[in-house]
Coordinates of all heavy atoms in Angstrom, one line a residue:
E219 N 72.5 85.9 102.3 CA 71.2 86.5 102.5 C 71.4 87.9 103.1 O 72.2 88.1 104.0 CB 70.4 85.7 103.5 CG 69.0 86.2 103.7 CD 68.0 85.4 104.5 OE1 68.4 84.3 104.9 OE2 66.9 85.8 104.7
L220 N 70.7 88.8 102.6 CA 70.7 90.2 103.0 C 69.3 90.4 103.6 O 68.3 90.4 102.8 CB 71.0 91.1 101.9 CG 71.2 92.6 102.2 CD1 72.3 92.8 103.2 CD2 71.5 93.4 100.9
G221 N 69.2 90.6 104.9 CA 67.9 90.7 105.5 C 68.0 91.4 106.8 O 68.9 92.1 107.1
K222 N 66.9 91.2 107.6 CA 66.9 91.8 109.0 C 67.0 90.8 110.0 O 66.5 89.7 109.9 CB 65.5 92.6 109.1 CG 65.2 93.6 108.1 CD 65.9 94.9 108.4 CE 65.4 96.0 107.5 NZ 66.4 96.7 106.9
A223 N 67.6 91.2 111.1 CA 67.7 90.4 112.4 C 67.1 91.3 113.4 O 67.1 92.5 113.3 CB 69.1 89.9 112.7
Y224 N 66.6 90.7 114.5 CA 65.8 91.4 115.5 C 66.4 91.1 116.9 O 66.7 90.0 117.2 CB 64.3 91.1 115.4 CG 63.8 91.4 114.1 CD1 63.8 90.5 113.1 CD2 63.2 92.7 113.8 CE1 63.3 90.8 111.8 CE2 62.7 93.0 112.6 CZ 62.8 92.0 111.6 OH 62.3 92.3 110.3
R225 N 66.5 92.2 117.7 CA 67.0 92.0 119.1 C 66.1 92.7 120.0 O 65.7 93.9 119.8 CB 68.4 92.6 119.1 CG 69.0 92.5 120.5 CD 70.4 93.1 120.5 NE 70.9 93.9 119.4 CZ 72.1 94.3 119.3 NH1 73.0 94.0 120.2 NH2 72.4 95.0 118.2
E226 N 65.7 92.0 121.1 CA 64.9 92.7 122.1 C 65.7 93.7 122.9 O 66.9 93.6 123.2 CB 64.4 91.6 123.1 CG 63.3 92.1 124.0 CD 62.7 91.0 124.9 OE1 63.3 90.7 125.9 OE2 61.7 90.4 124.5
E227 N 65.0 94.9 123.1 CA 65.7 96.0 123.8 C 64.7 96.6 124.8 O 63.9 97.4 124.4 CB 66.2 97.0 122.8 CG 67.2 97.9 123.4 CD 67.8 98.8 122.2 OE1 67.2 99.8 121.9 OE2 68.9 98.4 121.8
G228 N 64.7 96.1 126.0 CA 63.7 96.5 127.0 C 62.3 96.1 126.6 O 62.1 94.9 126.3
R229 N 61.4 97.0 126.5 CA 60.0 96.7 126.1 C 59.8 96.9 124.6 O 58.7 96.8 124.0 CB 59.0 97.6 126.8 CG 59.0 97.3 128.3 CD 58.0 98.1 129.1 NE 56.6 98.0 128.6 CZ 55.8 97.1 128.9 NH1 56.2 96.1 129.7 NH2 54.6 97.1 128.4
D230 N 60.9 97.2 123.9 CA 60.9 97.4 122.4 C 61.9 96.5 121.8 O 62.4 95.6 122.4 CB 61.3 98.9 122.2 CG 60.8 99.4 120.9 OD1 60.1 98.7 120.1 OD2 61.0 100.6 120.6
Y231 N 62.2 96.7 120.5 CA 63.1 95.9 119.8 C 63.9 96.7 118.8 O 63.5 97.8 118.4 CB 62.5 94.7 119.1 CG 61.5 95.0 118.0 CD1 62.0 95.1 116.7 CD2 60.2 95.3 118.2 CE1 61.2 95.4 115.6 CE2 59.4 95.7 117.2 CZ 59.8 95.7 115.9 OH 59.0 96.1 114.9
Q232 N 65.0 96.1 118.4 CA 65.9 96.7 117.3 C 65.8 95.9 116.1 O 65.8 94.7 116.2 CB 67.3 96.8 117.7 CG 67.8 98.0 118.4 CD 69.3 98.1 118.5 OE1 69.9 97.0 118.8 NE2 69.9 99.2 118.3
E233 N 65.7 96.5 114.9 CA 65.7 95.8 113.6 C 67.0 96.2 113.0 O 67.3 97.3 112.7 CB 64.5 96.4 112.8 CG 64.3 95.7 111.5 CD 63.1 96.3 110.7 OE1 62.0 96.1 111.2 OE2 63.3 96.9 109.7
L234 N 67.8 95.1 112.8 CA 69.2 95.3 112.3 C 69.4 94.8 110.9 O 69.0 93.6 110.7 CB 70.2 94.6 113.3 CG 70.0 94.9 114.7 CD1 70.7 93.9 115.6 CD2 70.5 96.3 115.0
P235 N 69.9 95.6 110.0 CA 70.2 95.0 108.7 C 71.4 94.1 108.8 O 72.4 94.5 109.4 CB 70.5 96.3 107.8 CG 70.9 97.3 108.8 CD 70.2 97.0 110.1
V236 N 71.3 92.9 108.2 CA 72.4 92.0 108.3 C 72.7 91.3 106.9 O 71.8 91.0 106.2 CB 72.0 90.9 109.3 CG1 73.1 89.8 109.5 CG2 71.6 91.5 110.7
L237 N 74.0 91.0 106.7 CA 74.4 90.2 105.6 C 75.0 88.9 106.1 O 75.9 89.0 106.9 CB 75.4 91.0 104.7 CG 76.0 90.1 103.6 CD1 75.0 89.8 102.5 CD2 77.2 90.8 103.0
G238 N 74.5 87.8 105.7 CA 75.0 86.5 106.1 C 75.6 85.8 104.9 O 75.0 85.8 103.8
L239 N 76.8 85.2 105.1 CA 77.4 84.4 104.1 C 77.6 83.0 104.6 O 78.0 82.8 105.8 CB 78.8 84.9 103.7 CG 78.9 86.4 103.3 CD1 80.4 86.8 103.1 CD2 78.2 86.5 101.9
A240 N 77.4 81.9 103.8 CA 77.6 80.6 104.2 C 78.2 79.8 103.1 O 77.8 79.9 101.9 CB 76.3 79.9 104.6
V241 N 79.2 79.0 103.4 CA 80.0 78.3 102.3 C 80.3 76.9 102.8 O 80.7 76.7 103.9 CB 81.3 79.1 102.0 CG1 82.1 78.4 100.9 CG2 81.1 80.5 101.7
S242 N 80.3 76.0 101.8 CA 80.7 74.6 102.1 C 81.3 74.1 100.8 O 80.7 74.4 99.7 CB 79.5 73.8 102.5 OG 80.0 72.5 102.8
G243 N 82.3 73.4 100.9 CA 82.9 72.7 99.7 C 84.2 73.3 99.3 O 84.8 74.1 100.0
P244 N 84.7 73.0 98.1 CA 86.0 73.4 97.6 C 86.1 74.9 97.3 O 85.1 75.5 96.7 CB 86.3 72.6 96.4 CG 85.0 72.1 95.9 CD 84.0 72.1 97.1
A245 N 87.2 75.5 97.7 CA 87.5 76.9 97.3 C 88.1 77.0 95.9 O 87.9 77.9 95.1 CB 88.4 77.6 98.3
A246 N 88.9 75.9 95.7 CA 89.6 75.8 94.4 C 89.5 74.4 93.9 O 89.8 73.5 94.7 CB 91.0 76.3 94.5
P247 N 89.1 74.1 92.7 CA 89.0 72.7 92.2 C 90.4 72.1 91.9 O 91.4 72.9 91.8 CB 88.2 72.9 90.9 CG 88.4 74.2 90.4 CD 88.7 75.1 91.7
L248 N 90.4 70.8 91.8 CA 91.6 70.1 91.4 C 92.1 70.6 90.1 O 91.3 70.8 89.1 CB 91.3 68.6 91.4 CG 92.4 67.7 90.9 CD1 93.6 67.7 91.9 CD2 91.9 66.3 90.7
S249 N 93.4 70.9 90.0 CA 94.0 71.3 88.7 C 95.3 70.6 88.5 O 95.8 69.9 89.3 CB 94.1 72.8 88.6 OG 95.3 73.2 89.4
L250 N 95.9 70.8 87.3 CA 97.2 70.3 87.0 C 98.3 70.8 88.0 O 99.3 70.2 88.2 CB 97.6 70.5 85.6 CG 96.8 69.8 84.5 CD1 97.2 70.3 83.1 CD2 96.9 68.3 84.7
H251 N 98.1 72.0 88.5 CA 99.1 72.7 89.2 C 98.9 72.7 90.8 O 99.8 73.0 91.5 CB 99.1 74.2 88.8 CG 99.3 74.4 87.3 ND1 100.5 74.0 86.7 CD2 98.5 74.8 86.4 CE1 100.4 74.2 85.4 NE2 99.2 74.7 85.2
A252 N 97.7 72.3 91.2 CA 97.4 72.3 92.6 C 96.3 71.3 93.0 O 95.4 71.1 92.2 CB 97.0 73.7 93.1
P253 N 96.3 70.7 94.2 CA 95.2 69.9 94.6 C 94.0 70.7 94.9 O 94.1 71.9 95.1 CB 95.8 69.2 95.8 CG 96.8 70.1 96.4 CD 97.4 70.9 95.2
A254 N 92.9 70.0 95.0 CA 91.6 70.7 95.4 C 91.8 71.2 96.8 O 92.5 70.6 97.6 CB 90.4 69.8 95.3
R255 N 91.2 72.3 97.2 CA 91.3 72.9 98.5 C 90.0 73.3 99.0 O 89.2 73.9 98.3 CB 92.3 74.1 98.4 CG 92.5 74.8 99.8 CD 93.5 75.9 99.6 NE 93.1 77.0 98.7 CZ 92.2 77.9 99.1 NH1 91.6 77.9 100.3 NH2 91.8 78.9 98.2
E256 N 89.7 72.9 100.2 CA 88.4 73.2 100.8 C 88.3 74.7 101.2 O 89.3 75.3 101.6 CB 88.1 72.4 102.1 CG 87.8 70.9 101.8 CD 86.5 70.8 101.1 OE1 85.4 71.3 101.6 OE2 86.5 70.1 100.0
F257 N 87.2 75.3 101.1 CA 86.9 76.7 101.5 C 87.1 76.8 103.0 O 86.6 75.9 103.7 CB 85.5 77.1 101.1 CG 85.3 78.6 101.0 CD1 85.4 79.2 99.8 CD2 85.0 79.3 102.2 CE1 85.2 80.6 99.8 CE2 84.8 80.6 102.1 CZ 84.9 81.3 100.9
G258 N 87.9 77.7 103.4 CA 88.2 77.8 104.8 C 88.0 79.2 105.4 O 87.5 80.1 104.7
F259 N 88.3 79.4 106.6 CA 88.1 80.6 107.4 C 88.7 81.8 106.6 O 88.1 82.9 106.5 CB 88.6 80.5 108.8 CG 88.6 81.8 109.5 CD1 87.4 82.3 110.0 CD2 89.8 82.5 109.8 CE1 87.4 83.5 110.7 CE2 89.8 83.7 110.4 CZ 88.6 84.2 110.9
F260 N 90.0 81.6 106.2 CA 90.7 82.8 105.6 C 90.1 83.1 104.2 O 90.2 84.3 103.8 CB 92.2 82.5 105.5 CG 92.8 82.5 106.9 CD1 93.1 81.3 107.5 CD2 92.9 83.7 107.6 CE1 93.6 81.3 108.8 CE2 93.4 83.7 108.9 CZ 93.8 82.5 109.5
D261 N 89.5 82.1 103.5 CA 88.8 82.4 102.3 C 87.6 83.3 102.6 O 87.3 84.3 101.9 CB 88.3 81.2 101.6 CG 89.5 80.3 101.1 OD1 90.3 80.8 100.4 OD2 89.6 79.1 101.6
L262 N 86.8 83.0 103.6 CA 85.7 83.7 104.0 C 86.1 85.2 104.5 O 85.5 86.1 104.1 CB 85.0 83.0 105.2 CG 83.8 83.8 105.8 CD1 82.7 83.9 104.7 CD2 83.2 83.0 107.0
K263 N 87.2 85.3 105.2 CA 87.7 86.6 105.6 C 88.0 87.4 104.4 O 87.8 88.6 104.3 CB 88.9 86.4 106.5 CG 89.4 87.7 107.1 CD 90.6 87.4 108.1 CE 91.2 88.7 108.5 NZ 92.5 89.0 107.8
G264 N 88.7 86.8 103.4 CA 89.0 87.5 102.2 C 87.8 88.0 101.4 O 87.7 89.1 100.9
D265 N 86.7 87.2 101.3 CA 85.5 87.6 100.7 C 84.9 88.8 101.5 O 84.4 89.7 100.9 CB 84.5 86.4 100.6 CG 84.8 85.4 99.6 OD1 85.8 85.7 98.8 OD2 84.1 84.4 99.5
L266 N 84.9 88.7 102.8 CA 84.4 89.7 103.6 C 85.1 91.0 103.4 O 84.5 92.1 103.3 CB 84.4 89.3 105.1 CG 83.9 90.3 106.1 CD1 82.4 90.6 105.8 CD2 84.0 89.7 107.5
E267 N 86.5 91.0 103.3 CA 87.3 92.2 103.0 C 86.9 92.8 101.7 O 86.8 94.0 101.6 CB 88.8 91.8 103.0 CG 89.3 91.6 104.4 CD 90.8 91.2 104.3 OE1 91.1 90.1 104.0 OE2 91.6 92.1 104.6
Q268 N 86.7 92.0 100.7 CA 86.3 92.5 99.4 C 84.9 93.2 99.4 O 84.7 94.3 98.8 CB 86.2 91.4 98.3 CG 87.6 91.0 97.9 CD 87.6 90.0 96.7 OE1 86.9 90.3 95.8 NE2 88.3 89.0 96.8
L269 N 84.0 92.6 100.2 CA 82.7 93.3 100.3 C 82.7 94.6 101.1 O 82.0 95.5 100.8 CB 81.7 92.3 101.0 CG 81.3 91.1 100.1 CD1 80.4 90.1 100.9 CD2 80.5 91.6 98.9
L270 N 83.6 94.6 102.1 CA 83.7 95.8 102.9 C 84.4 97.0 102.1 O 84.2 98.1 102.4 CB 84.5 95.6 104.2 CG 83.8 94.7 105.2 CD1 84.7 94.4 106.4 CD2 82.5 95.4 105.7
E271 N 85.1 96.6 101.0 CA 85.7 97.7 100.2 C 84.6 98.5 99.5 O 84.9 99.6 99.0 CB 86.6 97.0 99.2 CG 87.9 96.5 99.7 CD 88.8 95.9 98.7 OE1 88.5 95.9 97.5 OE2 89.9 95.3 99.1
L272 N 83.4 98.0 99.5 CA 82.3 98.8 98.9 C 81.9 100.0 99.7 O 81.2 100.9 99.2 CB 81.1 97.9 98.7 CG 81.2 96.7 97.8 CD1 80.0 95.7 98.0 CD2 81.4 97.1 96.4
F273 N 82.4 100.1 100.9 CA 82.0 101.2 101.8 C 83.2 102.2 102.0 O 84.4 101.8 101.9 CB 81.6 100.6 103.2 CG 80.4 99.8 103.2 CD1 80.6 98.4 103.0 CD2 79.2 100.3 103.2 CE1 79.5 97.6 102.9 CE2 78.0 99.5 103.1 CZ 78.2 98.1 103.0

Side-chain angles (χ1 to χ4, degrees):
E219 182 171 0
L220 187 57
K222 302 277 191 233
Y224 302 85
R225 179 178 15 186
E226 192 172 84
E227 196 169 84
R229 295 182 54 83
D230 205 357
Y231 67 92
Q232 268 192 319
E233 184 177 293
L234 309 164
V236 180
L237 171 69
L239 303 173
V241 182
S242 179
L248 175 67
S249 74
L250 292 174
H251 307 290
R255 183 176 61 77
E256 287 294 306
F257 199 95
F259 172 74
F260 292 104
D261 297 302
L262 178 62
K263 184 176 173 262
D265 285 354
L266 182 57
E267 284 179 285
Q268 286 191 44
L269 290 171
L270 290 174
E271 286 178 10
L272 299 169
F273 298 92

